[in-house]
Amino acid sequence: MRANGIDALHMFNNNLYSLVILDVNLPGVDGWGVLGLIRKTSQVKIMMLTARGRLVDKVKGLDAGADDYLIKPFEFPELLARVRSMLRRGQERIEEATMKVADLELDLGRRRAYRGTTRIDLSTKEFSLLHLLLSRSGQVMTRSQIISLVWDVNFDCDTNVIEVSIRRLRAKVDDPFENKLIHTIRGVGYVLEDRS
């Protein structure tokens, strides 16, 4: 189990979840911050756990994008029942979740990528990297941002792992196709966008 908000974000960006149970009182980035960052790129079901039972706190959580709000202390059977209910409500939408730029499509439920009708086989890291670039389409991502969101936050930034990974991803996603989507911004980083 991860113990702080930065680790929680790292796990979220490197794995596919149907539901997130999020404690408000996380060190580093608190639960509100994690909720806000997740909501910028995903509509995954999120349940907030907190000892703050005031109405204003409940409203804050729900208005910020939480799907449910459970106050501590709680009985474990109630938590499980709420999880089952949330998964039932969101199953169809989660299975159909896709991201798309031009003819590039990422099927999050099946963890598959396509350019038009051509299926592209990706490794786990390539999928995570493409997911990150697609979720921030049009936004330039720096090397340090990519390192912290796709690899471990303490990863050695002096290695050329990003360049190698981008090259491999381009070989699958861009090179066989006329319309190039992954672009290098010299001295800054990378951006995925349709420039056709």
Side-chain angles (χ1 to χ4, degrees):
M1 179 175 289
R2 297 289 179 139
N4 64 60
I6 294 171
D7 286 339
L9 286 167
H10 176 71
M11 286 189 71
F12 182 79
N13 282 296
N14 281 278
N15 298 280
L16 185 66
Y17 296 100
S18 298
L19 182 144
V20 173
I21 299 175
L22 188 56
D23 198 313
V24 169
N25 295 318
L26 291 172
V29 181
D30 69 9
W32 302 123
V34 173
L35 173 64
L37 289 167
I38 288 176
R39 277 294 175 252
K40 287 183 178 180
T41 61
S42 173
Q43 290 303 308
V44 66
K45 293 288 184 182
I46 298 177
M47 178 190 295
M48 302 295 288
L49 300 182
T50 181
R52 302 174 187 175
R54 297 179 306 159
L55 178 61
V56 65
D57 292 314
K58 292 181 187 177
V59 170
K60 177 181 178 181
L62 295 171
D63 282 348
D67 297 284
D68 200 357
Y69 194 99
L70 188 57
I71 299 167
K72 302 174 187 176
F74 54 83
E75 296 292 331
F76 198 65
E78 180 184 4
L79 172 65
L80 293 179
R82 285 179 181 239
V83 165
R84 287 192 299 269
S85 175
M86 289 174 68
L87 290 176
R88 280 195 306 271
R89 291 196 309 263
Q91 193 60 40
E92 183 177 338
R93 180 175 56 79
I94 289 168
E95 287 176 352
E96 295 176 353
T98 59
M99 303 174 76
K100 189 169 184 179
V101 171
D103 64 342
L104 172 63
E105 186 172 324
L106 198 64
D107 184 330
L108 302 178
R110 295 176 178 85
R111 296 187 69 82
R112 294 177 184 165
Y114 298 89
R115 280 297 297 261
T117 57
T118 305
R119 179 173 167 178
I120 301 167
D121 293 319
L122 301 173
S123 70
T124 301
K125 280 296 182 203
E126 288 166 348
F127 186 91
S128 296
L129 179 56
L130 185 58
H131 180 223
L132 173 66
L133 294 173
L134 264 169
S135 68
R136 290 162 173 82
S137 175
Q139 176 185 337
V140 178
M141 300 297 295
T142 66
R143 293 178 81 258
S144 59
Q145 286 174 318
I146 294 170
I147 283 284
S148 65
L149 292 170
V150 178
W151 283 265
D152 190 278
V153 290
N154 298 316
F155 198 90
D156 182 5
C157 289
D158 292 330
T159 69
N160 68 342
V161 67
I162 293 179
E163 288 76 10
V164 171
S165 298
I166 290 285
R167 193 179 317 122
R168 287 178 179 163
L169 189 60
R170 275 183 171 142
K172 295 181 178 182
V173 170
D174 270 353
D175 291 354
F177 306 95
E178 185 177 344
N179 185 15
K180 310 305 180 191
L181 298 174
I182 301 172
H183 307 281
T184 301
I185 309 300
R186 300 223 174 269
V188 182
Y190 302 93
V191 62
L192 189 150
E193 62 184 357
D194 183 7
R195 296 182 176 178
S196 60

